[in-house]
Amino acid sequence: MKKSNAKRILKSTTKSQQAYESLYEDVSNMEPGKNKFPSEEELSDEFGVSRATVRDALVRLRMDRIITSHQGLGTYGHPSVFKLKNRIDQDTDFGVMLKKQYNDVKIETEWEMLEHGNNTFREFFQDTPALMSCWIYSADNLKRLYTRFYIPQDLITIPLEPDLHIESLPEFSQKYMIKSKDDESNYIDYCSMKCKIKFDEKACQQLDIAPGTPLLCFDEIIYNISDRVVGVGEVFVHPENMVMSLVAPFKL
C-alpha cells in the first residue's frame, strides 16, 4: 500500500467510494502470497479517513468477493478473481456483465402478448395471459446468450411502445410496471436461478447452433421489492461463445 492513496481519496465525491476504488486497484496489483491487508486502523491512517469509512469500503469488497476476512487471520485480497470473465455472482444483468468484458455489445429484443406463459409461469400464475420478451445478447459479433421472460399482462400498467428498446428487466419494470412515482411495489429487484441442461430448438435457432444441441440453461424466478413473484425466465448459454464464472468463498 502507498501513502499516495491518501491524496487519491481527497479527490473523491465520497471518501468511502474512493477508499473502495483505491483498495480495488491495490488488490488487482497484488501477487499471490503477498496479499494480506493492513489492519483497519493502519488503512485509516494511510487514507486519512475514519475507520468507519474504511470498514464500509471493505464490506463492499467482501460483497464483490474481492477480499475475504477470517477471524484471527486477517483480511486478504484475491487478485486471481480479476482473471475471471462474466461473473454471474456480481452481475445478473447480462448487458452490464458483457459490457465489462467486450467492446461491442448488442441487445436485441422481441415482445409478444400470449394467452399464457411456459410451464414454470403456470405454476405461479395458472392460465394468466403473459407478456413474453425474447432477448439476444451479442458481443464482438458473436451471439452469447438467448433469454425468454414471461410477465403477467395484468402487471403491465402502461401500454408498450411500438419501438420498445429496453436493456434490463428493472428498467422495464420502472417504465411499464409502476403505476406512479409513489408506487414502487412492482419494481423488479432480484431473481433466483436454477441451472439445468435443456434441449430447446428455438434457443438453438436464435443462437445459430445445430438443432438438438444440449444447452446450459438457467431457470429464473423473478421477484419484486415486496418479494412477490412477478415473472419467470429462461437463460440459454451459447456452448462455445459464452463463459460464465462465479466466486464462492469457503468458510473456515
Side-chain angles (χ1 to χ4, degrees), residues 47-227:
F47 286 145
V49 297
S50 68
R51 290 182 64 177
T53 297
V54 169
R55 195 173 298 120
D56 286 344
L58 294 175
V59 167
R60 288 184 58 193
L61 290 167
R62 278 192 290 270
M63 291 177 64
D64 288 342
R65 305 290 192 259
I66 292 170
I67 65 172
T68 52
S69 299
H70 301 282
Q71 185 69 33
L73 297 177
T75 297
Y76 294 81
H78 302 298
S80 295
V81 304
F82 290 91
K83 300 176 183 178
L84 299 175
K85 291 184 177 181
N86 302 320
R87 284 184 52 187
I88 198 169
D89 60 305
Q90 281 192 330
D91 297 302
T92 52
D93 183 326
F94 300 120
V96 172
M97 175 192 294
L98 292 172
K99 287 174 183 177
K100 288 182 178 180
Q101 300 291 336
Y102 306 101
N103 294 320
D104 183 17
V105 176
K106 295 180 180 178
I107 304 172
E108 303 172 71
T109 61
E110 293 182 357
W111 308 80
E112 183 178 356
M113 296 297 183
L114 303 176
E115 291 184 4
H116 52 74
N118 63 3
N119 290 336
T120 305
F121 180 92
R122 288 183 172 185
E123 291 178 14
F124 294 97
F125 305 106
Q126 290 75 48
D127 288 329
T128 301
L131 167 67
M132 179 180 71
S133 63
C134 301
W135 308 53
I136 300 176
Y137 294 85
S138 302
D140 292 350
N141 297 316
L142 292 175
K143 292 184 178 180
R144 310 282 177 165
L145 297 164
Y146 169 69
T147 69
R148 286 194 297 256
F149 298 109
Y150 301 88
I151 297 171
Q153 290 185 27
D154 57 13
L155 295 184
I156 311 301
T157 59
I158 297 176
L160 273 58
E161 301 170 66
D163 57 345
L164 174 64
H165 181 71
I166 294 291
E167 293 200 349
S168 73
L169 288 177
E171 180 188 357
F172 174 81
S173 67
Q174 193 166 36
K175 193 168 184 179
Y176 295 101
M177 297 172 66
I178 306 301
K179 296 178 181 179
S180 68
K181 293 182 179 180
D182 298 326
D183 176 23
E184 299 291 329
S185 59
N186 279 333
Y187 184 80
I188 289 176
D189 190 45
Y190 75 100
C191 68
S192 62
M193 306 175 76
K194 294 181 180 179
C195 185
K196 298 180 179 178
I197 299 296
K198 286 187 177 182
F199 295 90
D200 189 289
E201 296 305 308
K202 181 67 173 178
C204 288
Q205 178 184 4
Q206 293 297 323
L207 291 172
D208 295 334
I209 56 181
T213 301
L215 297 174
L216 179 66
C217 177
F218 292 93
D219 282 342
E220 289 192 1
I221 309 298
I222 303 163
Y223 297 83
N224 63 13
I225 59 174
S226 300
D227 211 46

